[in-house]
Amino acid sequence: MSEPKTPVPTPAGDTYKGWVFKWTNYIKGYQRRWFVLSNGLLSYYRTHAEMGHTCRGTINLATATITVDDACNFVISNGGAQTYHLKASCEVERQRWITALELAKAKAARMQAESDDSGDDFPSSSPPSAPGQGGGSQNSEVQSALRTLGSKVEDLSTCNDLISKHGSALQRSLSELDSLRLTGEAGDKIRQVTERATLFRITSNAMINACRDFLALAQAHSKRLQKALQAERDQRVRLEETLEQLAKQHNHLERAFRGASQSNATADNKSASGPGKGEGSDEDDDNEFFDAMEEAPEFITVPADPHFHKRSSSNISGFNSEMCPDDQSLNEEPLAMNQESPSQGLVPLKKRRTRIADKPNYSLNLWSIMKNCIGKELSKIPMPVNFNEPISMLQRLSEDLEYHELLDKASKCQSSLEQMCYVAAFSVSSYSTTVHRTGKPFNPLLGETYELDRRRESGYRSLCEQVSHHPPAAAHHVISDRGWTLRQEITVASKFRGKYLSIMPLGTIHAIFEKGNNHYTWKKVTTTVHNIIVGKLWIDQSGEIDVVNHTTGDRCHLKFAPYSYFSRDVARKVTGVVMDKDGKAHYVLSGTWDEKMEFSRVMQSSLGGENGTEGKQKTVYQTLKAREVWRRNPLPEGADTMYYFTSLALTLNEYEEGISPTDSRRRPDQRLMEEGRWDEGNSEKQRLEEKQRIVRREREREAASQRIASQPEEAVDEDSLTDPSLKSAPHDSHLALWFDRCEDQITGEQVHIYKGGYWEAKDRGIWEGCPDIY
């Protein structure tokens, strides 16, 4: 067994680590374990690597007893609930652990007693919430120093007891040896050892007496220092209260003086707006100034820079020209600059449904799956609708527009960096609908489309089309009258890993704004469905997103923290930093993907804090007060019986006149499931999938015939026409109806771009070329 990593413990009771053999059971006996003694707690692990995540056991030494069995063995017990039988490699090593444990036990018991008596001994130990934070920090430092000194004194007292105890034991052992009356050289050696032990006892007694005197003196001084400290604290609190009252009186007098001056100036000018307008403006300025004073403690540091404080109108002209464009909206509410005019009201022109049929109480048992699989080939087994929700993947993709207002607000931003905050919040908001949605959407048929026309209500039109079946891919295009366009092509890859299912959306999302011609791109993170086999299903999002503005070079790095049982952070946490092309941070975003997001303006950044996992220092951002940029809409009443659909999702499958023959609303199996007729829906689903297979085989046969016809006759092998193993890979000749396949100029990927014509065809009511897929 190796020696412990740390040196011999000091009386301060610092962390002590090392390998010790622990009794496990009668089969395995003593097993080597890694023990860590810290803060009065003794914990053990199997290896060093487990220290970061798995603790095998912990015992509190404050209430534990420590006994020694023999030269190497010792026992630690807390009264029967926990007992550790331990064995060190040698007697010296055992004594090191005993000393460290005794010191830690004394310190833990002392800290527990202090915590019990803290209300009586230190009635004002916590600093008041007055503006004077500097005094509170100094008091905390003094209190910490006093506690440290008290801890050292108690350690000396513990060492005093240990020396007396071990010295008496040594003297008894030497007396026992002396009683053996050995002769010759052995007797001389024993007498020599006895004499040295006597000298050591005399010296130790002198040191113990000196320590006792020091202990009494230190305790007396400690009490006097605590009384003096308490008096200083009380005096500081009184001074802070007096200063606060003076500041309020001064501010009140200044406001009264300015109000009187403004009223006189308004009366002299006789403006058309009247005195009410001038007084209201003056009141707003003074209120803002007072609010800025109250919000000062929100800063980590308060720089002496006029940009960081609001001034009265007489001072604004002095520095307004120096402000950069993204500083101008710092002190405005984010919603104020994006208010719509009355002519663009958001009142729906059509009353849409607010309920669908309640989900039937069908259990997901094995028979509900297997009864659809009897007598079928493995490749033809359909997944029952029991696992689905009554919308298609195209409709689920359109749900990304639940919070389209974020893009409306982004289109009105003057600063590209502030616009980035709204775009990043929009990229996070699309996951808020998934927290309870464990059902799988219907896989769209090839050529299936879905339109979401909210132009008269919200100013946008959305179109989705299933452009590929293997791999399944959907193209999405949204155009808004409020200055933005959104397009994406998403392919879903999934991996089943036993206990959970990982769903990885592949593809890039593009957001283009007319104002400034800013072009943003980002990708989706991984969705994980847990407890696939046993337990209640739950959803988690994890990964990282880089939102990039290809016009300016701005970038926002978002991190979705995966759920961890051992993490102290809030669940579903998302953090991000908005940086310009030079890597300078301007905004910090934080929140959760299921609730809300906030953004804060960065005033200063520096390296500091705890080291990261790779030994790198974390960046500390000093920011203004955080402001909310997005919050999740509440679910409608009774959502738990309606697949946890949002208000928008409840309207997605509502039938509308004039839609395309390939629209998801016309899909019969999905409609039957929504109405609660699941058995009929399963039968209809099988029919549609078999029809799709027949069309696909016919398309592949035509493609193969065209390839053969284009080849020279001598190159045609007769066997290749009949033997499937000799055929080349199937060629899918399907062409999307409303999208063209081309290379994306930004990412270089092969994508489908909307080519136009859909909304014109809807206006004419002529749907030529639409396939019969239902």
Side-chain angles (χ1 to χ4, degrees), residues 298-339:
E298 296 286 345
F299 294 85
I300 295 177
T301 59
V302 183
D305 192 305
H307 289 191
F308 304 152
H309 297 277
K310 298 178 184 178
R311 301 301 188 196
S312 60
S313 57
S314 61
N315 293 332
I316 290 179
S317 60
F319 65 89
N320 192 33
S321 60
E322 300 176 3
M323 295 177 67
C324 57
D326 52 332
D327 286 330
Q328 296 177 3
S329 61
L330 272 180
N331 295 314
E332 298 176 4
E333 290 297 326
L335 301 181
M337 63 179 179
N338 298 300
Q339 293 176 348

Side-chain angles (χ1 to χ4, degrees), residues 334 406 409 421-422 425 589 597-599 627-631:
L406 291 170
K409 296 169 186 176
C421 295
Y422 286 98
L589 291 97
M597 289 294 293
E598 297 176 337
F599 74 103
R627 290 182 292 174
E628 189 175 278
V629 64
W630 163 75
R631 179 177 287 274

